[in-house]
Amino acid sequence: MNLDETTLSGRSHPAQPKARRLRGVDATRGIALIGMMGVHALYTGDLDEGPALWYSVAGGRAAATFAVLAGLGIAFSTGRRRIEPGVRGWATAASLTARALAIAFIGLALGFSDPDIADVILTYYGVLFLLAIPLVFLSTRALAVTGVAIALLMPVVSMPLRVLLPAPRLENPTFAWLFSDPLGLLVEILLTGVYPVLPWTTYLCAGLLLGRLRLSTVRTAWRLLVGGTALAVGAWLVSWLLLRPLGGLEKIAEAGEAAGMSSGAVDYVIDFGPTGNPPTSSWWWLALSSQHSATPFDLLHTTGVAVGLLGLMLLLAHVSNPNYRLALDAFIEPLAAAGSMTLTLYSAHVVFMNSPLDVFDEELSLAIQVLVSVFFALLWRHHVGRGPLESGVTWLSTKARTAVERRA
């Protein structure tokens, strides 16, 4: 999970000065963090009224944006280019491995969270970082082909495989689960869980590609905004055409009834999205673009949203007109501060949501969490710098990289 450009990128050298930081990247992370907080804290809706507005906007898209930015951070750490085999390759692999294990450890420690409150994503992102190791050795063209192939083919391959696999527990990964059933946990993380890592590698490839671009230019920002928006809209539109005019919904309803699903259950999956993967009763389920469905259209749509959002935030950071700059700084700086230490803030959010301290109404609870997170991030970044958990993970990553370099 790209929770911080310095913490999860694998960077072993000191953070760049504030003047050189891509504030738009941090601000995009900040928006994704608030989106995930909202999905956990607010009412998601019901079958009669449909998804709540907040869930319709942020559901699935916030988590996907984190994953795209994970690849972006890794690209920053690798010099925004392909890693060649050799000492540098081994050092990069060691750094990413240490980072992955640290993030997964934090995720397992947060596994006490009630899944009805928060599906903790960190363990999945730890495994995702391990899968990033072979990807950093690919050329830009091979990386693009890999990302597209995973988005289009992995959901198709997943359908018959999941029929043969045990039903997922859909619980948060814990240390107890790791020690009692490590293979079952691995299968759920990779393929059948809430955030299936294998299809989600699409986001990692997209982020690595983005990180190899010149993100500091206005032209690149515009291209990301336009291209990401076109991809998001195009994927949603093709999904809509397949489901509505071409009769996909009727085929899904028929297959659901044959598999013993009630019409309400079918409608719920269509409107709110399945939990990680679509049902296997019909290939037409792959036409969905619903939240957390891990279909080709969901993967492409959410990738487009993440790319377009990043382009927008980069553009806003480039505005120099003094009539707008003050207002934009007041908007971007708090988001960028929160986005620079999202590992710490996300973990604190999960702990708070599962604690007796969260006695507030949903809207008030979210407002308090966002305000406290932003205030803490602004103060901490100004007086200390890197976030608390970010510092620990970066220290481990640096030690692993240095050990390999010295040994070599």
Side-chain angles (χ1 to χ4, degrees), residues 227-352:
T229 302
L231 177 61
V233 173
W236 178 88
L237 182 59
V238 174
S239 171
W240 181 85
L241 289 172
L242 289 172
L243 293 175
R244 306 287 178 174
L246 297 181
L249 289 179
E250 288 78 7
K251 299 293 185 181
I252 287 174
E254 294 172 2
E257 182 180 356
M261 293 180 66
S262 66
S263 59
V266 171
D267 291 341
Y268 187 89
V269 172
I270 293 171
D271 293 338
F272 289 85
T275 307
N277 287 286
T280 58
S281 57
S282 171
W283 290 102
W284 278 99
W285 282 110
L286 293 179
L288 289 180
S289 61
S290 306
Q291 299 94 329
H292 291 298
S293 57
T295 66
F297 298 105
D298 172 47
L299 295 170
L300 294 175
H301 170 76
T302 48
T303 298
V305 169
V307 172
L309 179 61
L310 175 62
L312 175 62
M313 299 311 297
L314 291 173
L315 275 178
L316 293 180
H318 275 291
V319 173
S320 58
N321 189 317
N323 295 326
Y324 305 110
R325 189 66 263 161
L326 184 62
L328 287 175
D329 284 342
F331 171 68
I332 291 176
E333 284 300 328
L335 291 174
S340 70
M341 57 186 70
T342 43
L343 178 59
T344 295
L345 298 180
Y346 175 86
S347 301
H349 155 72
V350 172
V351 172
F352 175 79

Side-chain angles (χ1 to χ4, degrees), residues 162-245:
R162 287 186 290 111
V163 173
L164 304 176
L165 295 173
R169 291 166 56 171
L170 301 179
E171 300 173 359
N172 283 318
T174 61
F175 289 110
W177 189 355
L178 174 63
F179 293 124
S180 65
D181 185 16
L183 181 59
L185 176 58
L186 181 61
V187 168
E188 186 146 344
I189 288 176
L190 289 176
L191 205 58
T192 63
V194 180
Y195 310 104
V197 165
L198 290 181
W200 276 49
T201 308
T202 300
Y203 302 133
L204 199 62
C205 293
L208 286 168
L209 289 170
L210 290 173
R212 296 183 183 184
L213 301 176
R214 294 185 61 190
L215 296 179
S216 58
T217 68
V218 175
R219 176 178 295 182
T220 299
W222 272 114
R223 288 176 175 175
L224 295 181
L225 175 59
V226 174
T229 302
L231 177 61
V233 173
W236 178 88
L237 182 59
V238 174
S239 171
W240 181 85
L241 289 172
L242 289 172
L243 293 175
R244 306 287 178 174

